[in-house]
Amino acid sequence: MNHTRRVRVVRRLAFAVSAMAVFLASGGTPAAPAQEEKGQLFDGPGGKLYYEMMGSGRETPLVLVNGGPGFDHTYLHTSTAWDALAKNRRIIFYDQRGNGRSAPLKPGQSCTLRDQLDDLEALRAHLGFEKVDMLGSSWGGFLSMAYAARHPERISHLILVDSAAPKWSDTLFLFDQVFPETTEREAAGAFAREFGDKAADDAQIREYLSMIFYSPEKREAFLAQIGPGAYNKEVNQKVTADLARFDLNPEIRKFRFPALVITGRYDMNVAPLVAYRIHKNIPGSRFVAFERSSHLPFTEEPEAFARTLEEFLAK
Protein backbone atom coordinates (compact mmCIF):
# COMPACT_ATOMS: atom_id res chain seq x y z
CA MET A 1 0.00 0.00 0.00
CA ASN A 2 1.57 3.33 -1.01
CA HIS A 3 1.80 6.22 1.45
CA THR A 4 -1.05 8.25 -0.04
CA ARG A 5 -3.45 5.32 0.06
CA ARG A 6 -2.29 4.39 3.57
CA VAL A 7 -3.08 7.88 4.82
CA ARG A 8 -6.48 7.79 3.12
CA VAL A 9 -7.26 4.34 4.56
CA VAL A 10 -6.17 5.31 8.09
CA ARG A 11 -8.26 8.46 7.98
CA ARG A 12 -11.35 6.65 6.78
CA LEU A 13 -10.82 3.78 9.20
CA ALA A 14 -10.50 6.17 12.11
CA PHE A 15 -13.93 7.50 11.22
CA ALA A 16 -15.69 4.49 9.74
CA VAL A 17 -14.89 2.02 12.48
CA SER A 18 -16.60 4.39 14.84
CA ALA A 19 -19.88 2.74 14.35
CA MET A 20 -22.55 4.77 14.17
CA ALA A 21 -23.45 7.77 15.97
CA VAL A 22 -24.68 10.17 13.51
CA PHE A 23 -24.45 13.81 12.85
CA LEU A 24 -21.20 15.68 13.47
CA ALA A 25 -21.45 18.37 16.08
CA SER A 26 -19.87 21.52 14.82
CA GLY A 27 -16.31 21.92 16.03
CA GLY A 28 -16.52 18.64 17.94
CA THR A 29 -18.84 20.17 20.54
CA PRO A 30 -21.43 17.72 21.85
CA ALA A 31 -25.00 18.46 20.81
CA ALA A 32 -28.00 17.58 22.94
CA PRO A 33 -28.89 13.94 22.25
CA ALA A 34 -32.44 12.89 21.51
CA GLN A 35 -32.48 10.34 24.34
CA GLU A 36 -33.87 11.79 27.57
CA GLU A 37 -31.23 11.98 30.27
CA LYS A 38 -31.81 9.26 32.86
CA GLY A 39 -28.34 8.69 34.22
CA GLN A 40 -25.84 10.24 36.55
CA LEU A 41 -22.21 11.27 36.86
CA PHE A 42 -19.43 9.92 39.03
CA ASP A 43 -15.78 10.86 39.51
CA GLY A 44 -13.66 8.86 37.08
CA PRO A 45 -9.85 8.84 36.87
CA GLY A 46 -9.82 11.70 34.36
CA GLY A 47 -13.02 13.58 35.21
CA LYS A 48 -16.75 13.07 35.48
CA LEU A 49 -18.14 10.03 33.65
CA TYR A 50 -21.79 9.63 32.72
CA TYR A 51 -23.71 6.36 32.88
CA GLU A 52 -27.30 5.12 32.65
CA MET A 53 -28.81 1.94 34.01
CA MET A 54 -31.99 0.16 32.98
CA GLY A 55 -33.63 -3.08 34.00
CA SER A 56 -33.51 -5.28 37.07
CA GLY A 57 -33.06 -8.88 38.04
CA ARG A 58 -30.43 -11.12 39.54
CA GLU A 59 -28.57 -12.05 36.37
CA THR A 60 -25.06 -10.69 35.82
CA PRO A 61 -25.16 -7.01 34.73
CA LEU A 62 -24.48 -6.31 31.06
CA VAL A 63 -22.16 -3.36 30.30
CA LEU A 64 -22.48 -1.91 26.78
CA VAL A 65 -19.33 -0.38 25.29
CA ASN A 66 -20.20 1.78 22.29
CA GLY A 67 -18.32 2.46 19.08
CA GLY A 68 -16.13 5.39 18.16
CA PRO A 69 -13.65 6.55 19.20
CA GLY A 70 -15.23 9.94 19.60
CA PHE A 71 -18.94 9.12 19.78
CA ASP A 72 -21.30 8.84 22.73
CA HIS A 73 -23.58 5.92 23.56
CA THR A 74 -26.88 7.31 22.25
CA TYR A 75 -27.01 5.29 19.02
CA LEU A 76 -27.43 2.17 21.15
CA HIS A 77 -30.86 3.46 22.19
CA THR A 78 -32.15 2.86 18.66
CA SER A 79 -32.44 -0.84 19.55
CA THR A 80 -35.30 -2.49 21.44
CA ALA A 81 -33.10 -5.51 22.19
CA TRP A 82 -32.00 -4.01 25.51
CA ASP A 83 -35.61 -3.79 26.74
CA ALA A 84 -35.99 -7.54 26.35
CA LEU A 85 -32.64 -8.26 27.97
CA ALA A 86 -33.33 -5.84 30.84
CA LYS A 87 -36.16 -8.03 32.15
CA ASN A 88 -33.62 -10.26 33.89
CA ARG A 89 -30.58 -8.05 34.40
CA ARG A 90 -29.33 -4.53 34.66
CA ILE A 91 -28.07 -2.93 31.43
CA ILE A 92 -25.43 -0.21 31.73
CA PHE A 93 -24.74 2.44 29.09
CA TYR A 94 -21.96 4.99 29.54
CA ASP A 95 -20.22 7.82 27.72
CA GLN A 96 -16.52 7.34 27.25
CA ARG A 97 -13.97 9.94 28.27
CA GLY A 98 -14.51 13.27 26.57
CA ASN A 99 -17.78 12.23 24.91
CA GLY A 100 -21.47 12.96 25.34
CA ARG A 101 -22.43 13.87 28.90
CA SER A 102 -19.07 12.84 30.35
CA ALA A 103 -16.69 15.69 31.09
CA PRO A 104 -14.93 17.18 28.05
CA LEU A 105 -11.19 16.75 27.80
CA LYS A 106 -9.15 19.44 29.51
CA PRO A 107 -6.44 21.19 27.48
CA GLY A 108 -3.56 18.76 27.06
CA GLN A 109 -5.38 15.88 28.82
CA SER A 110 -4.43 12.42 27.65
CA CYS A 111 -6.96 10.10 26.05
CA THR A 112 -5.27 6.78 25.38
CA LEU A 113 -6.34 3.16 25.42
CA ARG A 114 -5.01 2.91 28.98
CA ASP A 115 -7.17 5.88 29.98
CA GLN A 116 -10.24 4.28 28.45
CA LEU A 117 -9.51 1.01 30.25
CA ASP A 118 -9.03 2.81 33.57
CA ASP A 119 -12.36 4.59 33.09
CA LEU A 120 -14.18 1.35 32.32
CA GLU A 121 -12.70 -0.35 35.38
CA ALA A 122 -13.62 2.67 37.50
CA LEU A 123 -17.22 2.37 36.27
CA ARG A 124 -17.34 -1.30 37.29
CA ALA A 125 -15.88 -0.52 40.71
CA HIS A 126 -18.22 2.43 41.24
CA LEU A 127 -21.23 0.22 40.54
CA GLY A 128 -19.89 -2.49 42.85
CA PHE A 129 -20.08 -5.35 40.36
CA GLU A 130 -17.69 -8.23 41.02
CA LYS A 131 -18.23 -9.61 37.52
CA VAL A 132 -19.94 -8.27 34.41
CA ASP A 133 -21.08 -9.46 31.04
CA MET A 134 -19.57 -7.05 28.51
CA LEU A 135 -20.74 -6.19 24.99
CA GLY A 136 -18.54 -4.14 22.70
CA SER A 137 -19.81 -2.59 19.45
CA SER A 138 -17.30 -1.68 16.70
CA TRP A 139 -14.44 0.25 18.36
CA GLY A 140 -16.09 -0.77 21.62
CA GLY A 141 -15.25 -4.36 20.68
CA PHE A 142 -11.56 -3.50 20.65
CA LEU A 143 -11.90 -1.73 23.99
CA SER A 144 -13.81 -4.70 25.43
CA MET A 145 -11.15 -7.17 24.26
CA ALA A 146 -8.46 -5.00 25.83
CA TYR A 147 -10.44 -4.75 29.09
CA ALA A 148 -10.95 -8.51 29.16
CA ALA A 149 -7.22 -9.01 28.63
CA ARG A 150 -6.38 -6.67 31.53
CA HIS A 151 -9.16 -7.84 33.87
CA PRO A 152 -10.18 -11.39 32.91
CA GLU A 153 -11.35 -12.07 36.45
CA ARG A 154 -14.09 -9.46 36.00
CA ILE A 155 -15.61 -10.96 32.83
CA SER A 156 -18.42 -13.49 32.99
CA HIS A 157 -19.35 -13.40 29.26
CA LEU A 158 -17.86 -11.37 26.40
CA ILE A 159 -19.91 -10.33 23.35
CA LEU A 160 -18.26 -8.66 20.37
CA VAL A 161 -20.59 -7.08 17.81
CA ASP A 162 -19.05 -6.11 14.45
CA SER A 163 -15.86 -5.40 16.35
CA ALA A 164 -12.75 -3.75 15.02
CA ALA A 165 -9.85 -6.15 14.55
CA PRO A 166 -7.58 -7.00 17.52
CA LYS A 167 -4.85 -5.24 15.57
CA TRP A 168 -6.48 -1.96 14.58
CA SER A 169 -4.87 -1.75 11.15
CA ASP A 170 -6.21 -5.23 10.26
CA THR A 171 -9.79 -3.97 10.26
CA LEU A 172 -11.29 -4.48 6.80
CA PHE A 173 -13.88 -2.12 5.38
CA LEU A 174 -15.55 -2.65 2.04
CA PHE A 175 -17.03 0.72 1.16
CA ASP A 176 -14.81 1.30 -1.88
CA GLN A 177 -15.57 -2.12 -3.34
CA VAL A 178 -19.33 -2.17 -2.75
CA PHE A 179 -20.33 1.51 -2.91
CA PRO A 180 -17.91 3.08 -5.41
CA GLU A 181 -20.32 5.87 -6.39
CA THR A 182 -20.91 6.80 -2.74
CA THR A 183 -17.24 6.83 -1.82
CA GLU A 184 -16.57 8.95 -4.90
CA ARG A 185 -19.04 11.54 -3.60
CA GLU A 186 -17.35 11.39 -0.20
CA ALA A 187 -13.97 12.03 -1.78
CA ALA A 188 -15.34 15.05 -3.63
CA GLY A 189 -16.07 16.77 -0.30
CA ALA A 190 -12.74 16.00 1.35
CA PHE A 191 -11.18 19.39 0.60
CA ALA A 192 -14.08 21.30 2.17
CA ARG A 193 -14.06 19.06 5.24
CA GLU A 194 -10.40 19.79 5.82
CA PHE A 195 -11.38 23.42 6.35
CA GLY A 196 -14.22 22.75 8.77
CA ASP A 197 -17.14 23.08 6.35
CA LYS A 198 -20.07 21.78 8.43
CA ALA A 199 -22.32 21.27 5.42
CA ALA A 200 -19.63 19.05 3.89
CA ASP A 201 -19.29 17.19 7.21
CA ASP A 202 -23.03 16.58 7.38
CA ALA A 203 -23.12 15.39 3.77
CA GLN A 204 -20.28 12.96 4.44
CA ILE A 205 -22.08 11.58 7.51
CA ARG A 206 -25.22 11.05 5.44
CA GLU A 207 -23.22 9.20 2.78
CA TYR A 208 -21.50 7.11 5.44
CA LEU A 209 -24.76 6.13 7.14
CA SER A 210 -26.24 5.04 3.83
CA MET A 211 -23.56 2.34 3.71
CA ILE A 212 -23.92 0.77 7.18
CA PHE A 213 -27.49 -0.54 6.94
CA TYR A 214 -28.91 -3.59 5.22
CA SER A 215 -32.40 -2.08 5.24
CA PRO A 216 -33.11 1.42 3.89
CA GLU A 217 -36.19 1.55 6.13
CA LYS A 218 -34.10 0.79 9.22
CA ARG A 219 -31.62 3.43 8.14
CA GLU A 220 -34.27 6.12 7.87
CA ALA A 221 -35.86 5.13 11.18
CA PHE A 222 -32.42 5.28 12.80
CA LEU A 223 -31.82 8.80 11.56
CA ALA A 224 -35.26 9.95 12.65
CA GLN A 225 -34.89 8.48 16.13
CA ILE A 226 -31.49 9.61 17.25
CA GLY A 227 -31.55 13.24 16.13
CA PRO A 228 -28.35 15.31 16.40
CA GLY A 229 -25.50 13.29 17.83
CA ALA A 230 -22.09 14.18 19.17
CA TYR A 231 -18.69 13.54 17.64
CA ASN A 232 -15.44 14.65 19.24
CA LYS A 233 -12.60 14.79 16.75
CA GLU A 234 -9.96 15.31 19.45
CA VAL A 235 -10.98 12.11 21.23
CA ASN A 236 -10.99 10.22 17.95
CA GLN A 237 -7.53 11.41 16.98
CA LYS A 238 -5.94 10.81 20.38
CA VAL A 239 -7.31 7.31 20.87
CA THR A 240 -6.74 6.23 17.27
CA ALA A 241 -3.11 7.39 17.34
CA ASP A 242 -2.52 5.30 20.46
CA LEU A 243 -4.16 2.14 19.11
CA ALA A 244 -1.44 1.62 16.51
CA ARG A 245 0.83 0.38 19.31
CA PHE A 246 -1.30 -2.64 20.21
CA ASP A 247 -1.90 -6.12 18.88
CA LEU A 248 -4.46 -7.99 20.97
CA ASN A 249 -4.29 -11.23 18.98
CA PRO A 250 -1.92 -12.96 21.46
CA GLU A 251 -4.16 -11.81 24.33
CA ILE A 252 -7.50 -13.04 23.02
CA ARG A 253 -6.05 -16.52 22.55
CA LYS A 254 -5.76 -16.63 26.36
CA PHE A 255 -9.47 -15.98 26.99
CA ARG A 256 -11.13 -18.76 28.97
CA PHE A 257 -14.59 -17.24 29.55
CA PRO A 258 -17.54 -17.72 27.18
CA ALA A 259 -17.31 -15.43 24.14
CA LEU A 260 -19.82 -14.69 21.41
CA VAL A 261 -18.63 -13.05 18.20
CA ILE A 262 -21.37 -11.43 16.12
CA THR A 263 -21.36 -9.87 12.68
CA GLY A 264 -23.92 -8.50 10.29
CA ARG A 265 -23.60 -10.54 7.10
CA TYR A 266 -23.58 -7.35 5.02
CA ASP A 267 -21.35 -5.21 7.21
CA MET A 268 -19.30 -2.95 4.96
CA ASN A 269 -17.89 -1.00 7.92
CA VAL A 270 -16.09 -4.03 9.37
CA ALA A 271 -16.04 -7.01 7.02
CA PRO A 272 -17.46 -10.26 8.47
CA LEU A 273 -14.05 -11.86 7.88
CA VAL A 274 -12.76 -9.78 10.81
CA ALA A 275 -15.35 -11.28 13.14
CA TYR A 276 -14.63 -14.77 11.87
CA ARG A 277 -10.90 -14.37 12.51
CA ILE A 278 -11.61 -13.12 16.04
CA HIS A 279 -13.84 -16.14 16.61
CA LYS A 280 -11.12 -18.52 15.41
CA ASN A 281 -8.61 -16.93 17.78
CA ILE A 282 -10.77 -17.07 20.93
CA PRO A 283 -10.87 -20.65 22.23
CA GLY A 284 -14.37 -22.09 22.40
CA SER A 285 -16.07 -18.93 21.14
CA ARG A 286 -19.34 -18.94 19.22
CA PHE A 287 -19.77 -17.18 15.86
CA VAL A 288 -23.14 -15.80 14.69
CA ALA A 289 -23.90 -13.88 11.49
CA PHE A 290 -27.17 -11.95 11.24
CA GLU A 291 -28.37 -12.40 7.70
CA ARG A 292 -30.42 -9.20 7.39
CA SER A 293 -28.00 -6.81 9.05
CA SER A 294 -25.03 -4.64 8.35
CA HIS A 295 -23.03 -2.93 11.12
CA LEU A 296 -25.84 -2.66 13.69
CA PRO A 297 -27.60 -6.04 14.03
CA PHE A 298 -29.08 -5.05 17.40
CA THR A 299 -30.96 -2.26 15.57
CA GLU A 300 -31.76 -4.11 12.34
CA GLU A 301 -32.78 -7.45 13.90
CA PRO A 302 -33.49 -6.64 17.57
CA GLU A 303 -35.75 -9.59 18.39
CA ALA A 304 -33.37 -12.20 16.97
CA PHE A 305 -30.43 -10.36 18.53
CA ALA A 306 -32.02 -10.41 22.00
CA ARG A 307 -32.88 -14.12 21.69
CA THR A 308 -29.31 -14.93 20.67
CA LEU A 309 -27.88 -13.05 23.64
CA GLU A 310 -30.35 -14.57 26.12
CA GLU A 311 -29.43 -18.04 24.96
CA PHE A 312 -25.72 -17.30 25.17
CA LEU A 313 -25.87 -15.57 28.57
CA ALA A 314 -27.94 -18.40 30.06
CA LYS A 315 -25.07 -20.85 29.57
Side-chain angles (χ1 to χ4, degrees):
M1 183 184 298
N2 64 42
H3 176 71
T4 300
R5 176 161 176 76
R6 183 179 295 113
V7 170
R8 185 168 64 250
V9 166
V10 169
R11 284 178 178 172
R12 180 173 293 163
L13 179 60
F15 179 75
V17 153
S18 43
M20 317 359 48
V22 267
F23 298 92
L24 282 167
S26 101
T29 302
Q35 180 73 17
E36 180 184 355
E37 183 171 347
K38 299 177 181 177
Q40 55 189 299
L41 296 166
F42 77 99
D43 291 320
K48 298 285 187 181
L49 290 173
Y50 175 84
Y51 70 94
E52 298 175 11
M53 193 180 306
M54 65 181 293
S56 61
R58 303 181 63 178
E59 300 296 334
T60 304
L62 175 63
V63 176
L64 305 182
V65 185
N66 64 267
F71 288 105
D72 65 19
H73 78 280
T74 53
Y75 76 88
L76 295 173
H77 288 301
T78 63
S79 175
T80 59
W82 322 124
D83 299 292
L85 291 162
K87 294 176 181 178
N88 299 312
R89 60 181 52 78
R90 286 161 289 181
I91 309 287
I92 297 89
F93 307 82
Y94 82 106
D95 284 338
Q96 296 163 17
R97 179 177 298 208
N99 295 128
R101 296 188 181 100
S102 290
L105 295 181
K106 300 173 183 177
Q109 183 177 4
S110 69
C111 191
T112 63
L113 178 62
R114 179 185 289 272
D115 293 328
Q116 298 284 349
L117 291 172
D118 289 346
D119 290 347
L120 188 48
E121 171 61 5
L123 173 65
R124 181 209 59 79
H126 173 75
L127 295 174
F129 301 147
E130 287 299 314
K131 281 182 174 287
V132 298
D133 295 329
M134 185 168 289
L135 182 152
S137 163
S138 197
W139 133 253
F142 187 100
L143 179 53
S144 296
M145 287 186 285
Y147 179 88
R150 287 287 305 278
H151 303 284
E153 75 284 357
R154 300 301 184 187
I155 298 294
S156 181
H157 296 78
L158 179 66
I159 304 148
L160 304 173
V161 183
D162 296 86
S163 174
K167 185 177 180 180
W168 190 254
S169 60
D170 287 345
T171 305
L172 302 174
F173 48 98
L174 305 176
F175 297 130
D176 290 350
Q177 293 89 339
V178 180
F179 298 103
E181 74 284 13
T182 309
T183 54
E184 185 177 77
R185 289 194 298 268
E186 281 188 306
F191 183 77
R193 293 196 299 273
E194 286 292 329
F195 291 90
D197 186 320
K198 187 175 186 304
D201 279 339
D202 289 347
Q204 196 273 342
I205 285 286
R206 178 67 63 167
E207 298 286 14
Y208 164 66
L209 288 172
S210 74
M211 298 185 287
I212 66 164
F213 281 86
Y214 173 86
S215 162
E217 292 77 18
K218 294 285 188 179
R219 178 189 65 215
E220 295 308 316
F222 176 86
L223 289 173
Q225 183 175 347
I226 66 146
Y231 170 71
N232 189 307
K233 185 178 292 187
E234 181 185 11
V235 171
N236 179 281
Q237 291 175 339
K238 285 188 172 185
V239 174
T240 302
D242 189 51
L243 295 181
R245 302 189 296 121
F246 299 96
D247 182 356
L248 299 179
N249 282 294
E251 302 305 318
I252 67 176
R253 296 186 185 106
K254 303 173 187 175
F255 289 173
R256 294 297 181 265
F257 38 75
L260 172 63
V261 184
I262 290 173
T263 185
R265 179 67 73 188
Y266 298 97
D267 188 358
M268 307 304 165
N269 197 136
V270 181
L273 178 60
V274 173
Y276 192 71
R277 287 172 174 170
I278 292 172
H279 156 63
K280 297 295 283 187
N281 276 336
I282 298 179
S285 66
R286 182 184 174 195
F287 175 79
V288 175
F290 283 84
E291 302 294 343
R292 294 181 177 272
S293 291
S294 179
H295 197 59
L296 306 179
F298 44 80
T299 295
E300 298 215 74
E301 299 182 71
E303 294 84 5
F305 187 89
R307 287 195 302 270
T308 299
L309 261 62
E310 285 286 12
E311 177 188 343
F312 171 68
L313 295 174
K315 294 182 178 179

